[in-house]
Amino acid sequence: AQKITQTQPGMFVQEKEAVTLDCTYDTSDQSYGLFWYKQPSSGEMIFLIYQGSYDEQNATEGRYSLNFQKARKSANLVISASQLGDSAMYFCAMSLYNQGGKLIFGQGTELSVKP
Amino acid sequence: SQTIHQWPATLVQPVGSPLSLECTVEGTSNPNLYWYRQAAGRGLQLLFYSVGIGQISSEVPQNLSASRPQDRQFILSSKKLLLSDSGFYLCAWSPPYGTSRGDTQYFGPGTRLTVL
């Protein structure tokens, strides 16, 4: 069965430092997408970064990078130079291409950035 | 650019009352549309998705239903709300298949529903 696991319920990081949020996934499909979303206290889900299963290079979007290790089925999010505004819930998700593109979400990691 | 709207933003309803949540997308055609629910402190659970007008797929048996009367309009309904229907409801859209990064989903601001 397809599943996303985020083992860190909460994380703290000092402002301006880098932080890695862990995500592992389980699927027998060969074609899938991996996503990270940010959810601030307002509730809106903000798309951060995407990695396709056939992409050989790790995705990067500004201060966000996705450390994709296909053999280990991990898709960790790295945030460089943390800012106070990065404090939020972060969700890892997997898209199933053969099931209407629906997303399966992990339980999330709450990140707190300390000044 | 594309935008997605949801209303109402918050809703308090008594048990047994009907429900109608609306989601509309602007700036794109033939989007895939999704309804998710998020319980407090949890991840999102897909409820319904639609790849076209009148085409609805249900993921979870429940007393909710969805309809897509127009290309860019997606409605979540219930005839009689239950206490367990409380939660945060998010609508999302993605470009139709075949476009680059066609499966990236973009979310609306959500509706917070409390059933008393």
Side-chain angles (χ1 to χ4, degrees), chain B residues 81-113:
Chain B
L81 283 168
L82 307 173
L83 287 173
S84 57
D85 291 324
S86 293
F88 190 52
Y89 289 82
L90 286 150
C91 181
W93 74 275
S94 68
Y97 296 123
T99 59
S100 61
R101 298 178 65 169
D103 59 346
T104 299
Q105 293 184 25
Y106 301 93
F107 286 80
T111 295
R112 205 165 297 277
L113 172 66

Side-chain angles (χ1 to χ4, degrees), chain B residues 45-67:
Chain B
Q45 179 187 40
L46 179 66
L47 301 176
F48 301 94
Y49 69 92
S50 171
V51 298
I53 295 175
Q55 301 178 59
I56 309 294
S57 295
S58 175
E59 288 295 304
V60 181
Q62 59 217 322
N63 69 323
L64 299 171
S65 62
S67 61

